[in-house]
């Protein structure tokens, strides 16, 4: 977890969670959109073929690349992953030639306002 200054107007620094996977750095807000849990305490998991952080408070799965909230349900024939919409703010992260990580905050990112919206996907192998 890192803290990134948000400006000089007295705002608190924003906590950012950095996740490195296969040479790519992902950056997202460090507090869960749902109840403010510290996501650095959550597990990083493959969830239906997507890299997610699992919220330590309520086990919400958040795609680290897109910020989408994912939920699974079991049907008679498959595990279905429902995309509940983009809920977590994500930010651009890059690594310079010396290995320094740079985060550019996305202050204009829109998140889905309602639970229950989204698309369903079937997990490829039925496992989460």
């Amino acid at each position: 977890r890192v803290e990134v200054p948000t400006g000089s107007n007295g705002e608190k620094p924003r906590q950012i969670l950095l996740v490195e996977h296969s040479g790519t750095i992902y950056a997202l807000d460090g507090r869960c959109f749902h109840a403010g849990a510290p996501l650095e305490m959550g597990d990083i998991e493959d969830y239906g073929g997507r890299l997610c952080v699992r919220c330590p408070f309520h086990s919400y799965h958040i795609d680290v690349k897109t910020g989408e909230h994912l939920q699974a349900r079991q049907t008679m024939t498959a595990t279905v992953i429902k995309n509940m919409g983009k809920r977590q703010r994500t930010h651009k992260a890059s690594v310079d030639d010396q290995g320094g990580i740079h985060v550019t905050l996305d202050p204009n990112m829109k998140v889905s306002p309602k639970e229950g919206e989204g698309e369903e996907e079937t997990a490829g192998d039925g496992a989460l």
Side-chain angles (χ1 to χ4, degrees):
R1 173 186 71 137
V2 296
E3 292 189 356
V4 178
T6 55
S8 59
N9 58 356
E11 291 181 52
K12 290 183 183 178
R14 183 180 297 257
Q15 293 180 2
I16 302 295
L17 177 69
L18 298 175
V19 176
E20 185 276 331
H21 183 262
S22 299
T24 301
I25 304 286
Y26 300 99
L28 57 157
D29 279 1
R31 295 280 179 179
C32 181
F33 68 88
H34 174 243
L39 292 178
E40 76 264 15
M41 302 295 292
D43 292 329
I44 304 297
E45 305 175 347
D46 179 312
Y47 192 71
R50 294 174 73 174
L51 185 66
C52 292
V53 58
R54 184 172 50 87
C55 174
F57 286 5
H58 300 106
S59 295
Y60 280 36
H61 285 86
I62 302 165
D63 185 307
V64 300
K65 183 177 181 181
T66 65
E68 294 168 334
H69 171 211
L70 306 175
Q71 285 185 339
R73 65 180 172 88
Q74 191 69 40
T75 67
M76 296 291 276
T77 58
T79 299
V80 177
I81 303 293
K82 185 168 185 175
N83 179 343
M84 305 301 286
K86 184 164 182 143
R87 300 291 165 73
Q88 193 75 18
R89 284 182 175 81
T90 56
H91 309 283
K92 181 180 177 184
S94 60
V95 181
D96 66 24
D97 293 338
Q98 285 78 38
I101 299 171
H102 301 270
V103 175
T104 303
L105 296 180
D106 183 357
N108 301 316
M109 193 215 79
K110 304 282 188 219
V111 293
S112 299
K114 296 181 183 177
E115 291 284 336
E117 295 178 350
E119 304 169 1
E120 291 186 355
E121 306 169 11
T122 302
D125 59 6
L128 295 179

